[in-house]
């Protein structure tokens, strides 16, 4: 693998509980010992059920929240040790695409104003070059430059998401966090926006952390996929391997829940509630829902182990599920 653009090691994040004294502990752990790396030009998909910590991880990488511990390196530099000037430069390099661009677009501002604001913040394409850049940006996201004067409410959901993408790429970032970026769109529009993101990655070489609860969407766009459960990494590997031959029982359960599952693959129903992160089961946090659970699973938290050249799984079993055993 190429040298990582983003490298996260041992990331932990907890939030204070609102009900003081109700739980023994006063903080809820949301991310536990998360490691990840993303190469230049790579798309890493991040999946997991609601509450698994996906957005928290995205926000920590964007420095929108402070992690409790762990390191985040961007292009080899630890984000915790940057001068305000260097941090400003990194903020240009790391952008976000939101789930609901409407909520993040000021209803009174034209698209020209929205995109100009992004460029002004970083003093890019100033003066006479500005108009050309605005036109180019709209063309890059498949919208007509004639739309520059329009207000957000004059666009459809899919078009608004294209504007959100134009705003993110306006400053030529090297890394984008896309958090549920297509989840609010109709399926046919989802495919168009996913294709647009894939094209932009191809053309600009931008790396993307693509967050979604929908594994089929993640697989479509990602090179590798990371699976989170209760704030811990369960499995990470190439997108097709994760989809066609999941190694970790939790990944297998997520794949099973997909309507497009190949009939030849064994279905695995995910039963039971996600346990409270304040009081997870001992040892493997998935053990209360895992059909393969055995006594040894409670002994200690399984470490993420390399089980193939490009695959890591946090399970004591060696088998790859559903695939060649
Ligand atoms: N600011 C906060 N204060 C307290 N708890 C929080 C805060 N933000 C998130 N949490 C909790 O952290 C956990 C993880 O939340 P997060 O939003 O990262 O999950 P997610 O995987 O993105 O879920 P979803 O798929 O629903 O977007 C949840 O239990 C959530 O309630
Ligand atoms: S360690 Fe045990 S409980 Fe956890 S996923 Fe593997 S088999 Fe299931
Ligand atoms: Mg989220």
């Amino acid at each position: 693998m190429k040298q990582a653009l983003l490298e996260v090691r041992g990331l932990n994040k907890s939030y204070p509980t609102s009900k003081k004294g109700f739980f023994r502990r006063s903080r809820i752990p949301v991310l536990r010992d998360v490691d990840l790396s993303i190469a230049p030009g790579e798309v890493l998909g991040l999946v997991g059920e609601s509450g698994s910590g996906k957005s928290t991880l995205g926000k920590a990488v964007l420095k929108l929240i402070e992690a409790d511990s762990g390191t985040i390196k961007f292009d080899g530099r630890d984000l915790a040790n940057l001068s305000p000037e260097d941090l400003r430069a990194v903020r240009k390099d790391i952008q976000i695409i939101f789930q609901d661009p409407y909520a993040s677009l000021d209803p009174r501002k034209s698209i020209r104003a929205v995109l100009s604001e992004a460029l002004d913040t970083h003093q890019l394409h100033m003066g006479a070059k500005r108009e050309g850049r605005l036109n180019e940006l709209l063309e890059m996201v498949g919208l007509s430059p004639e739309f520059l004067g329009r207000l957000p409410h004059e666009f459809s959901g899919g078009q608004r998401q294209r504007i959100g993408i134009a705003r993110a790429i306006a400053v030529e970032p090297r890394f984008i966090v896309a958090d549920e970026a297509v989840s609010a769109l109709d399926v046919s529009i989802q495919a168009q926006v996913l294709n647009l993101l894939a094209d932009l990655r191809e053309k600009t070489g931008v790396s993307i952390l693509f967050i979604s609860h929908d594994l089929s969407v993640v697989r479509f766009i990602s090179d590798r996929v990371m699976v989170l459960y209760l704030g811990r990494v369960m499995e990470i590997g190439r997108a097709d391997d994760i989809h066609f031959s999941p190694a970790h029982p939790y990944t297998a359960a997520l794949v099973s829940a997909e309507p497009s599952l190949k009939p030849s693959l064994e279905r695995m129903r995910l039963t039971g509630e996600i346990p409270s992160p304040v009081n997870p089961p001992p040892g493997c946090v998935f053990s209360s829902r895992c059909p393969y659970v055995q006594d040894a699973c409670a002994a200690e938290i399984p470490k993420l182990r390399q089980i193939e050249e490009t695959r890591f799984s946090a399970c004591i079993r060696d088998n790859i599920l559903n695939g060649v055993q």
Side-chain angles (χ1 to χ4, degrees), residues 21-32:
F22 182 77
F23 294 116
R24 273 199 204 118
R25 273 194 269 173
S26 59
R27 296 189 73 83
I28 306 176
V30 173
L31 291 177
R32 304 289 289 264

Side-chain angles (χ1 to χ4, degrees), residues 49-56 59 99 179-180 211-213:
E49 287 165 288
S50 182
S52 56
K54 305 181 297 296
S55 295
T56 303
K59 284 181 200 155
Q99 170 168 358
D179 191 354
E180 303 283 2
I211 300 174
S212 174
H213 60 278

